[in-house]
Amino acid sequence: MVDVLEHVPGNPSGQHRWAQEARRRLDDARDGIASLLGVEPGGVIFTSGGTEADDLAVRGVLGAAGGRALCSEIEHHAVLDVVHATGGGTVAVDGTGRLDLDHLADELASDPGVSIVSVVLANNEVGTLQDLDAIADVVDQARPSHPNGLVLHTDAVAAAAWIDVAEVAARADLVTISGHKVGGPKGIGVLAVRHGVPIAPVLLGGGQERERRSGTPNVAGAVGLGVALAVTARDRVTVVGRVREQAERLAAGLTEAADHVRTTIPPRSVPGVANIVHLSCREVASEPLLFLLDEAGVAASAGSSCASGALEPSHVVEALGVPPDWAPGALRLSLGWSTTDDEIDHALAVIPAAIAQLHPHAEPAA
């Protein structure tokens, strides 16, 4: 990225030699990302991040095909808010966050005007992985009765660092990823589009990205995302194994420290990404807990990072049916490739003490 910023000043849409070098760097990044996502290079649309890519997926399909959108009730707000704003609906999930396939089938059968179904591949708050093949089966069965077409989009932002998206999301027509979730820069994302899926532009202007997303491309960001995604794929098996062990040790240690702390989803009850530990703390409010943890050097959140300042329980926790005496004490801990065992030890010392300080009937952990 530094090399691009210092030595490649051209706009890749231009014709001179500096522009041609910028185009070469952008095309190389596009080729590498396409290979890692299992799409053709022409299917890679660079965006400003996951939010814009999700917005383009929903609005782009609706703009090209008409109809309305469906999504799960635990989508990231980048999808959920767009679906609501465009008159779409939601599909229920069970207590582990898995999509209710019967509800999806009923919704598709009752409304042939649905043209896009969007389901987050890995929930960014609790980590649940969806069975995308089973969802694709339901969509395939409904497709003949939908005259405007019916496509499947998956937001893979929280999944891309931890699973092979090209393999797991092979049946999705549209896939969203974001740079910062795979160790790349903020401010760059991709909407990957399978051949033949119609996308109407949301941003109009210069007609970049094959007339699907106007604006001067972020060449350095695209290069950074391409490198980060390649390194992630190269190291995934090793990193996932180590991080999963750390996450399981963290979850076990915290739930053993007090009977009023539990994992929101029972361990190993459903497939999930390796790096997310989501806890519910009975009769403890998230806001003061997060303050104490921050003071002690532990970065945590109550829900999505985009809404970590919210005081109300997240829509994800509510959709999972977490009881009202547990829901206000939601605690989301995310590990990463750089997480150390010493950091896990620090968290295991700090978090139970902070919870005990706030819980009205708790004794500090021994």
Side-chain angles (χ1 to χ4, degrees):
M1 289 180 64
V2 171
D3 182 57
V4 171
L5 291 169
E6 290 183 347
H7 304 299
V8 188
N11 182 334
S13 300
Q15 301 301 319
H16 48 70
R17 68 181 66 181
W18 295 283
Q20 292 173 13
E21 176 61 15
R23 171 59 67 89
R24 183 184 69 80
R25 299 292 186 102
L26 187 67
D27 287 347
D28 287 348
R30 194 187 308 274
D31 290 346
I33 292 169
S35 176
L36 292 166
L37 295 181
V39 299
E40 295 296 320
V44 171
I45 304 175
F46 287 113
T47 69
S48 63
T51 294
E52 186 193 339
D54 283 342
D55 197 288
L56 178 58
V58 177
R59 293 185 188 272
V61 169
L62 296 181
R68 63 192 290 265
L70 283 178
C71 70
S72 82
E73 59 182 346
I74 61 167
E75 292 299 303
H76 190 284
H77 281 290
V79 168
L80 187 66
D81 289 359
V82 179
V83 170
H84 284 159
T86 56
T90 59
V91 178
V93 298
D94 64 20
T96 68
R98 281 289 187 102
L99 195 71
D100 184 331
L101 298 179
D102 291 334
H103 188 199
L104 174 62
D106 290 344
E107 288 291 320
L108 293 177
S110 65
D111 187 355
V114 173
S115 56
I116 180 170
V117 173
S118 183
V119 182
V120 66
L121 184 51
N123 182 266
N124 60 300
E125 292 188 29
V126 296
T128 298
L129 279 166
Q130 297 293 339
D131 185 348
L132 211 60
D133 281 336
I135 294 168
D137 286 342
V138 175
V139 171
D140 285 348
Q141 291 169 9
R143 192 169 280 128
S145 63
H146 288 249
N148 295 332
L150 179 61
V151 301
L152 175 61
H153 166 247
T154 189
D155 177 338
V157 168
W162 309 103
I163 63 174
D164 184 348
V165 171
E167 177 182 352
V168 177
R171 295 177 64 186
D173 302 291
L174 302 159
V175 180
T176 293
I177 66 167
S178 184
H180 70 284
K181 286 289 191 176
V182 293
K186 302 175 184 68
I188 188 72
V190 161
L191 178 64
V193 184
R194 307 282 181 198
H195 179 71
V197 176
I199 292 288
V202 173
L203 295 178
L204 301 175
Q208 290 88 348
E209 299 297 303
R210 300 192 175 195
E211 304 285 342
R212 298 170 300 188
R213 194 271 186 184
S214 291
T216 302
N218 177 0
V219 179
V223 169
L225 170 55
V227 172
L229 194 62
V231 172
T232 295
R234 183 195 68 194
D235 298 342
R236 181 178 288 119
V237 172
T238 300
V239 172
V240 167
R242 174 173 54 79
V243 170
R244 191 175 295 281
E245 289 182 359
Q246 291 174 325
E248 289 179 351
R249 182 164 75 90
L250 178 62
L254 294 177
T255 54
E256 290 170 3
D259 60 6
H260 49 273
V261 178
R262 68 185 186 189
T263 54
T264 305
I265 297 174
R268 301 184 183 278
S269 62
V270 65
V273 288
N275 69 310
I276 293 178
V277 175
H278 195 280
L279 303 169
S280 297
C281 307
R282 182 166 52 87
E283 297 181 332
V284 172
S286 294
E287 184 182 18
L289 176 58
L290 294 179
F291 175 81
L292 291 178
L293 296 183
D294 186 58
E295 289 291 299
V298 173
S301 63
S304 169
S305 294
C306 302
S308 57
L311 300 181
E312 297 297 323
S314 81
H315 67 288
V316 174
V317 170
E318 291 181 344
L320 296 181
V322 176
D325 57 335
W326 291 85
L331 182 65
R332 172 180 174 257
L333 303 167
S334 299
L335 287 68
W337 63 268
S338 62
T339 301
T340 67
D341 290 338
D342 286 344
E343 289 172 335
I344 300 298
D345 292 338
H346 180 67
L348 286 171
V350 166
I351 296 174
I355 293 173
Q357 183 175 338
L358 297 172
H359 194 275
H361 308 298
E363 294 293 334

